[in-house]
Amino acid sequence: MNTALAAAHAEAASMPLEQIDPASLDYFVKGTELAYFARLRRDDPVHHAVSPWAGPYWSITRYQDIMHVDTHPQLFSSEWTYGGITLFDPPPNEQLPMFIAMDPPKHDEQRKAVQAIVAPGNLATMESLIRERTCRVLDGLPRNETFDWVDRVSIELTTLMLATLFDFPVEDRRLLTWWSDVSTMNKRVNPDAMEPEERMAELGKMLAYFTRLWNERVNAPPRNDLVSMLAHNPATRNMSPMEYMGNLVLLIVGGNDTTRNSMTGGLLALHENPQQWAKLRENPKLVDSLVPEIIRWQTPLAYMRRTAVADSEVGGKLIRKGEKVAMWYLSGNRDETAIERPDEFIIDRARPRQHLSFGFGIHRCVGNRLAEMQLKILWEEILKRFPVIEVVGEPTRVKSTFVRGFSALPVRIPG
Ligand code: HEM
């Protein structure tokens, strides 16, 4: 445990519970958030707080209680009109309909429109392309000099993947990275972010670009890419421009930030646990259980928000209709009553896929198998090439309480 986290554990253990606001940006930027969740799981697992930018909200911090909320959509709604899936309630001109922020039946219909992209047959077809690109990116990395793993590997690989899923011009792929970053920016949480009007204008550029792709594909025969799937499916072909924009944001952020931060988080976790890295080198087959352990350990989306649509009890506390609820997957993934030795990074766990990082229930991640495949290929190819990747400086953490990840990680490959 690093010194900042150890100091935070000491602070969290003694501070009055009512002072703990787990959605504090400061905790996430310093990388100390886990200390406050440990205290809450122990002393106040269903916790009420008032955030300066999100107002009053409940935090659900234990594994079983999170499962309960996530699997009761009839009590806990995802609807964008209530505020959607993040704690900040956007003003009407920034509200974006998207199927992750919808309840049945519309959610189910729109989800089905894109689900075929990750059907087992399609995944098998994509595997060789992903491997080829992964090899090319790894073979192009510098030797004996410091470079940024996030930019050269994590962003590059996830953006190439997204370009494939959308059949998006590969030379323009960094626009996808940019729009993903813009989508998750929130000036009210992070003062360094762009102004809301500027953000919506950038997303308007994304919509214009994707509208051109839609118009090309809507009258052509259906193809195996996300734009064509949306344009041809009866559930999505008549979407309003804002709904198209919303679903694009969902698919871009869903497929980008999450896998990107697992790629960086995994390297960091192995660097911090050299005995696990040695075990992996000795037995590369452990990649199969390494990948879900990385996803648990990183938990790239720290929480999902719901809004209570009826009064109900969770963990002995009454949550009233209209109140906001954050299911902190990050905390559930460290719950010792559900996961053995949860604060240890162990690459050969018996049940490694038992984690909450992909959510549960009707909104469970569409892209989970694809993400796992990308990470598996990455680690298989790393092991073939690089006995060591040195982390040579501190990571820079993303300024968000929702996306849990890194904007930079300096590394060096000796060779
Ligand atoms: C939903 C995490 C990769 C697309 C979700 C949810 C989580 C999540 C937590 C919400 C679950 C819930 O509310 O119960 C992750 C993580 C990933 C990852 C940790 C990588 C390690 C991907 C990829 C895609 C994707 C590669 C591909 C496009 C989606 C979509 C949804 C979703 C479309 C909405 C599902 C729905 O509302 O029915 N993901 N995701 N995700 N994810 Fe992922």
Side-chain angles (χ1 to χ4, degrees):
M1 194 184 294
N2 65 40
T3 42
L5 186 55
H9 271 286
E11 184 198 63
S14 60
M15 75 197 275
L17 279 169
E18 60 275 13
Q19 284 176 14
I20 301 184
D21 167 12
S24 298
L25 183 64
D26 196 43
Y27 298 164
F28 284 80
V29 173
K30 288 186 185 143
T32 57
E33 65 280 15
L34 288 169
Y36 303 91
F37 287 117
R39 169 82 195 282
L40 291 181
R41 279 195 308 280
R42 196 185 69 202
D43 294 337
D44 194 25
V46 177
H47 173 74
H48 194 262
V50 181
S51 149
W53 53 269
Y57 70 101
W58 290 97
S59 285
I60 314 293
T61 61
R62 282 190 181 160
Y63 193 99
Q64 293 304 338
D65 291 337
I66 293 169
M67 291 272 277
H68 169 80
V69 173
D70 221 355
T71 51
H72 287 82
Q74 66 282 18
L75 292 175
F76 299 99
S77 165
S78 300
E79 274 289 326
W80 58 278
T81 46
Y82 295 138
I85 50 142
T86 59
L87 283 170
F88 176 72
D89 293 316
N93 64 331
E94 290 175 49
Q95 284 179 352
L96 291 178
M98 55 179 86
F99 70 85
I100 198 171
M102 289 177 192
D103 293 335
K106 202 169 171 188
H107 159 267
D108 306 8
E109 291 157 13
Q110 293 205 351
R111 179 178 166 117
K112 275 194 206 115
V114 297
Q115 213 158 13
I117 197 86
V118 288
N122 217 28
L123 284 188
T125 317
M126 280 191 279
E127 185 170 353
S128 54
L129 179 66
I130 297 177
R131 192 173 298 278
E132 185 192 305
R133 284 178 173 168
T134 305
C135 292
R136 202 170 339 125
V137 166
L138 293 180
D139 289 337
L141 295 176
R143 298 298 183 104
N144 292 320
E145 72 181 61
T146 300
F147 65 92
D148 179 14
W149 182 260
V150 174
D151 184 59
R152 294 291 297 262
V153 178
S154 311
I155 290 183
E156 186 59 5
L157 286 177
T158 42
T159 306
L160 280 167
M161 186 69 245
L162 264 190
T164 307
L165 296 179
F166 284 109
D167 194 9
F168 188 89
V170 87
E171 63 282 7
D172 284 349
R173 64 187 180 281
R174 286 285 170 140
L175 283 174
L176 295 169
T177 320
W178 169 238
W179 290 327
S180 178
D181 291 346
V182 169
S183 302
T184 55
M185 273 181 199
N186 188 340
K187 181 90 183 162
R188 291 78 166 198
V189 185
N190 168 17
D192 302 342
M194 61 170 59
E195 292 296 332
E197 302 73 37
E198 208 185 326
R199 174 177 170 272
M200 289 310 285
E202 282 302 319
L203 293 182
K205 292 182 198 162
M206 174 191 76
L207 178 64
Y209 195 120
F210 272 95
T211 301
R212 283 202 305 279
L213 300 183
W214 176 290
N215 291 340
E216 282 162 23
R217 293 173 200 182
V218 68
N219 295 318
R223 289 196 328 223
N224 235 0
D225 67 77
L226 288 170
V227 175
S228 182
M229 285 175 182
L230 291 170
H232 285 273
N233 194 289
T236 44
R237 73 175 168 222
N238 295 317
M239 286 185 293
S240 68
M242 285 304 262
E243 203 166 337
Y244 185 34
M245 191 197 262
N247 277 320
L248 288 170
V249 166
L250 164 60
L251 293 162
I252 292 175
V253 175
N256 196 46
D257 273 328
T258 50
T259 318
R260 178 204 296 186
N261 288 317
S262 304
M263 288 179 175
T264 311
L267 178 61
L268 202 54
L270 282 165
H271 164 76
E272 286 166 358
N273 295 275
Q275 72 293 2
Q276 298 294 314
W277 198 328
K279 209 192 299 183
L280 179 66
R281 244 182 263 118
E282 272 162 37
N283 183 5
K285 286 210 169 63
L286 289 177
V287 165
D288 285 335
S289 47
L290 162 76
V291 165
E293 177 67 349
I294 288 176
I295 295 171
R296 177 189 78 89
W297 189 252
Q298 183 55 36
T299 319
L301 296 179
Y303 74 90
M304 284 280 158
R305 170 238 173 122
R306 299 291 186 258
T307 308
V309 289
D311 292 3
S312 76
E313 243 187 53
V314 182
K317 297 263 177 94
L318 176 66
I319 297 185
R320 290 187 190 280
K321 181 178 174 177
E323 289 181 330
K324 293 189 214 188
V325 176
M327 301 177 285
W328 288 102
Y329 298 136
L330 176 64
S331 175
N333 278 341
R334 301 299 181 110
D335 183 344
E336 41 292 296
T337 65
I339 294 167
E340 223 177 295
R341 292 152 69 199
D343 286 322
E344 291 173 49
F345 180 74
I346 303 172
I347 67 164
D348 51 358
R349 288 182 179 273
R351 297 178 60 208
R353 297 190 86 241
Q354 193 207 348
H355 63 68
L356 294 170
S357 300
F358 291 125
F360 257 93
I362 61 167
H363 290 280
R364 183 171 168 82
C365 179
V366 168
N368 58 353
R369 295 287 175 183
L370 174 62
E372 286 173 345
M373 187 169 88
Q374 282 178 270
L375 289 163
K376 181 170 185 279
I377 293 172
L378 174 63
W379 280 99
E380 282 171 356
E381 296 303 328
I382 287 177
L383 287 171
K384 285 182 202 161
R385 285 168 178 73
F386 311 131
V388 185
I389 302 173
E390 294 166 355
V391 173
V392 293
E394 286 299 311
T396 311
R397 287 167 206 278
V398 171
K399 288 187 177 159
S400 167
T401 56
F402 179 66
V403 173
R404 181 167 184 261
F406 309 95
S407 50
L409 179 69
V411 304
R412 183 178 161 279
I413 301 178

